């Protein structure tokens, strides 16, 4: 009887853990009002806290220290600026808390559930993407039905539409796979991490169904970031963990892959375009008036503007005081570089936190499998954040805390 109860409890906990991961990913897809709403963040937080408390889990000393430092820095902002955006600052902490508690509740199977959910999302996206290519108008009608007919689901209409399991970006993503995310690049970020987890878990056995589906889905995103992470960085990662005699065999294949990837227009042309247009912000910034309501600075332009701001507040940054950062009087300058947003928002302290937590995660992960390649995986992470502003997405915030999972002892993370 006790054995049956234990099995039943383990099954129930597993189901809860899966739901927690599903909600964590959902809060990071940025494509519906439900995903973005602070209300759902609080509701999901309460749900996770209930299970955290019910299982009698304990908060790590690391998170206590993180909390203390976070609010101490808020106090410094208050002294420096005379006021702070209390609501936004508190909401960001709530997201950190939600992300942390989710990691604690899910525990050692964190990436097992993550890979499975992203795999299923990729599997669903492929036939929908084929329909999108062959019958765009009809597929768009199906995908946009909720947003166009139920006002509650309306969010950013005319830019992208979502039916939760699949979405379409209507400005630039008509021929690309956005999967369950807000845009193809966002989907590629999830796919790239799932591919990495699959590679490590299977110790580079490339012939497995999940890896095939994840890779096909990534290819259909035509994401510059996704291609650089997977086909360039991960190829080097695989190469660094290959025996010497096998290295000689795979070198031609890797070089051929590099040549194919780097010849794609959306790779080289996109990168060159970012650098060529990096000075565009100056035309807007120093123009007295402008007819536009908003102007995207681009990745490189965002980095330049953010770095100039960072030099003024290099230690703790500006926090959530967006008005204190460089901005145009009439035109909203939209920053899209997540890496520079981290060190401008939270300063050197925030950047060190980001680098330390990711490095610690990769260090533990690869040590558990006796693998090499921490530097190349860190490079892939920097590429991801350089191209995507993920600073306040709950799932990516949870990645700051996954190194706290004690998976080295039982090797069950994967």
């Amino acid at each position: 009887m006790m054995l049956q109860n234990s099995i039943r409890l383990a099954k129930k906990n597993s189901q809860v853990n899966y739901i927690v991961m599903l909600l964590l990913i959902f809060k990071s897809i940025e494509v519906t009002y439900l995903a973005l709403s602070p209300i759902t963040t609080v509701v999901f937080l309460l749900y996770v806290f209930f299970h955290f408390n019910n299982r009698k889990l304990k908060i790590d000393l690391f998170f206590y220290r993180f909390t203390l430092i976070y609010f101490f820095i808020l106090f410094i902002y208050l002294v420096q600026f005379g006021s702070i955006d209390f609501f936004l600052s508190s909401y960001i902490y709530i997201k950190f808390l939600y992300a942390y508690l989710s990691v604690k509740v899910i525990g050692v199977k964190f990436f097992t559930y993550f890979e499975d959910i992203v795999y299923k999302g990729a599997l669903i996206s492929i036939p929908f993407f084929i329909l999108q290519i062959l019958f765009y108008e009809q597929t768009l009608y199906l995908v946009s039905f909720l947003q166009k007919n139920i006002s509650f689901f309306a969010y950013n209409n005319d830019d992208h539409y979502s039916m939760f399991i699949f979405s379409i970006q209507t400005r630039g993503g008509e021929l690309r796979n956005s999967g369950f995310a807000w845009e193809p690049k966002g989907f590629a970020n999830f796919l790239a991490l799932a591919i990495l987890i699959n590679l490590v878990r299977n110790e580079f056995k490339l012939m497995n169904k999940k890896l095939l589906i994840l890779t096909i889905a990534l290819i259909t995103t035509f994401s510059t970031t996704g291609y650089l992470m997977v086909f360039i960085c991960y190829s080097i990662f695989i190469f660094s963990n290959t025996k010497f005699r096998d290295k000689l065999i795979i070198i031609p294949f890797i070089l051929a892959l590099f040549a194919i990837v780097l010849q794609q227009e959306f790779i080289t042309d996109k990168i060159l375009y970012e650098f060529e247009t990096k000075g565009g912000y100056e035309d807007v910034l120093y123009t007295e008036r402008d007819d536009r309501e908003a102007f995207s600075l681009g990745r490189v332009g965002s980095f330049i503007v953010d770095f100039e701001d960072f030099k003024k507040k290099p230690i703790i940054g500006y926090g959530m005081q967006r008005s204190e950062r460089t901005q145009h009087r009439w035109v909203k300058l939209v920053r899209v570089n997540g890496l520079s947003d981290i060190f401008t928002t939270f300063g050197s302290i925030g950047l060190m936190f980001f680098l330390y937590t990711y490095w610690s995660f990769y260090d533990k992960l690869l040590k558990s499998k006796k693998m090499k390649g921490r530097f190349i995986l860190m490079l892939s992470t920097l590429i991801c954040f350089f191209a995507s502003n993920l600073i306040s997405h709950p799932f990516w915030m949870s990645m700051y805390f996954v190194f706290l999972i004690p998976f080295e002892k039982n090797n069950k993370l994967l």
Side-chain angles (χ1 to χ4, degrees):
M1 186 69 178
M2 289 182 63
L3 179 61
Q4 289 180 336
N5 289 337
S6 297
I7 294 173
R8 193 179 298 111
L9 179 62
K11 185 177 180 180
K12 181 180 178 181
N13 286 344
S14 179
Q15 291 172 342
V16 169
N17 295 347
Y18 199 90
I19 292 171
V20 171
M21 175 56 74
L22 191 63
L23 296 178
L24 193 60
I25 292 174
F26 174 73
K27 282 297 298 181
S28 304
I29 61 175
E30 298 256 315
V31 78
T32 68
Y33 176 76
L34 284 175
L36 289 159
S37 173
I39 296 174
T40 55
T41 304
V42 174
V43 171
F44 294 173
L45 170 62
L46 293 174
Y47 175 77
V48 173
F49 179 75
F50 170 79
H51 291 289
F52 176 89
N53 189 60
N54 194 46
R55 296 179 189 181
K56 295 180 172 57
L57 298 171
K58 303 295 182 182
I59 294 177
D60 299 276
L61 180 61
F62 178 85
F63 192 78
Y64 277 120
R65 290 171 176 170
F66 168 81
T67 300
L68 184 64
I69 293 171
Y70 184 89
F71 284 100
F72 177 70
I73 291 175
L74 284 187
F75 176 74
I76 296 177
Y77 291 146
L78 180 61
V79 173
Q80 280 189 344
F81 300 116
S83 64
I84 60 171
D85 190 329
F86 182 77
F87 175 80
L88 184 56
S89 299
S90 300
Y91 182 53
I92 291 298
Y93 177 77
I94 287 172
K95 282 189 171 185
F96 273 120
L97 179 61
Y98 167 55
Y100 169 75
L101 292 180
S102 296
V103 171
K104 292 293 290 184
V105 168
I106 298 170
V108 294
K109 291 294 185 179
F110 187 88
F111 287 111
T112 300
Y113 297 128
F114 170 77
E115 182 192 4
D116 187 64
I117 290 171
V118 177
Y119 161 71
K120 289 176 179 175
L123 194 62
I124 291 170
S125 77
I126 293 172
F128 271 106
F129 177 67
I130 294 173
L131 291 174
Q132 177 183 329
I133 296 298
L134 297 177
F135 311 103
Y136 178 76
E137 294 298 331
Q138 292 85 348
T139 308
L140 181 62
Y141 175 81
L142 175 64
V143 172
S144 65
F145 184 83
L146 285 176
Q147 284 180 235
K148 285 187 173 180
N149 292 279
I150 304 176
S151 59
F152 179 76
F153 291 105
Y155 173 77
N156 210 6
N157 284 15
D158 299 328
D159 282 339
H160 47 235
Y161 294 100
S162 172
M163 54 187 291
F164 296 104
I165 58 174
F166 187 74
S167 62
I168 295 177
Q169 184 188 35
T170 56
R171 297 185 182 180
E174 294 87 350
L175 301 178
R176 300 170 62 191
N177 186 357
S178 294
F180 53 70
W182 74 99
E183 64 176 3
K185 178 183 62 179
F187 189 37
N189 292 335
F190 286 107
L191 291 168
L193 180 59
I195 288 170
L196 173 63
I197 297 305
N198 185 281
L199 288 171
V200 174
R201 179 172 57 82
N202 292 289
E203 298 181 350
F204 306 114
K205 294 175 183 176
L206 304 182
M207 301 305 293
N208 69 82
K209 182 177 68 173
K210 284 189 175 181
L211 182 61
L212 177 63
I213 295 298
L214 291 168
T215 304
I216 290 173
L218 181 89
I219 291 171
T220 60
T221 65
F222 299 104
S223 165
T224 305
T225 304
Y227 275 54
L228 289 176
M229 290 175 67
V230 173
F231 298 122
I232 303 297
C233 291
Y234 292 177
S235 293
I236 298 173
F237 174 55
I238 294 172
F239 181 79
S240 66
N241 286 281
T242 304
K243 295 179 180 178
F244 179 76
R245 64 180 184 182
D246 296 328
K247 278 184 168 65
L248 299 176
I249 299 174
I250 67 173
I251 282 177
F253 294 100
I254 290 179
L255 292 177
L257 179 62
F258 282 14
I260 293 171
V261 171
L262 296 176
Q263 284 179 357
Q264 302 303 309
E265 290 184 1
F266 65 90
I267 302 291
T268 52
D269 288 0
K270 182 71 174 292
I271 294 172
L272 290 173
Y273 175 79
E274 287 287 342
F275 279 96
E276 288 171 356
T277 58
K278 67 181 186 296
Y281 76 93
E282 294 178 337
D283 297 333
V284 178
L285 191 60
Y286 301 112
T287 300
E288 200 62 23
R289 301 280 310 181
D290 199 295
D291 294 333
R292 291 168 290 191
E293 293 182 2
F295 176 78
S296 176
L297 294 170
R299 280 79 176 176
V300 179
S302 295
F303 189 92
I304 293 172
V305 175
D306 283 342
F307 187 70
E308 290 300 315
D309 284 340
F310 167 74
K311 289 191 293 185
K312 300 171 187 174
K313 303 282 184 183
I315 307 300
I316 60 173
Y318 295 81
M320 297 302 119
Q321 285 62 247
R322 306 297 190 190
S323 60
E324 298 292 337
R325 292 164 64 174
T326 298
Q327 192 55 260
H328 192 278
R329 186 175 178 181
W330 293 287
V331 182
K332 180 182 179 182
L333 299 180
V334 180
R335 292 164 168 82
V336 293
N337 189 312
L339 181 61
S340 64
D341 199 31
I342 288 173
F343 63 65
T344 309
T345 302
F346 300 114
S348 299
I349 292 177
L351 181 61
M352 287 189 291
F353 172 77
F354 167 76
L355 296 175
Y356 170 78
T357 54
Y358 266 89
W359 177 265
S360 298
F361 159 58
Y362 289 134
D363 187 57
K364 281 192 172 185
L365 176 67
L366 298 187
K367 278 182 178 177
S368 71
K369 294 289 186 177
K370 297 180 180 179
M371 294 178 179
K372 300 178 291 184
R374 294 160 187 79
F375 284 102
I376 192 63
L377 294 185
M378 280 301 300
L379 176 61
S380 70
T381 301
L382 294 177
I383 290 172
C384 177
F385 276 80
F386 189 91
S388 303
N389 199 334
L390 307 172
I391 188 172
S392 61
H393 295 207
F395 174 79
W396 299 102
M397 296 170 90
S398 74
M399 290 293 292
Y400 299 141
F401 306 109
V402 291
F403 79 95
L404 296 171
I405 301 173
F407 58 87
E408 280 185 303
K409 297 178 181 178
N410 48 37
N411 202 23
K412 291 182 180 179
L413 183 69
L414 303 178

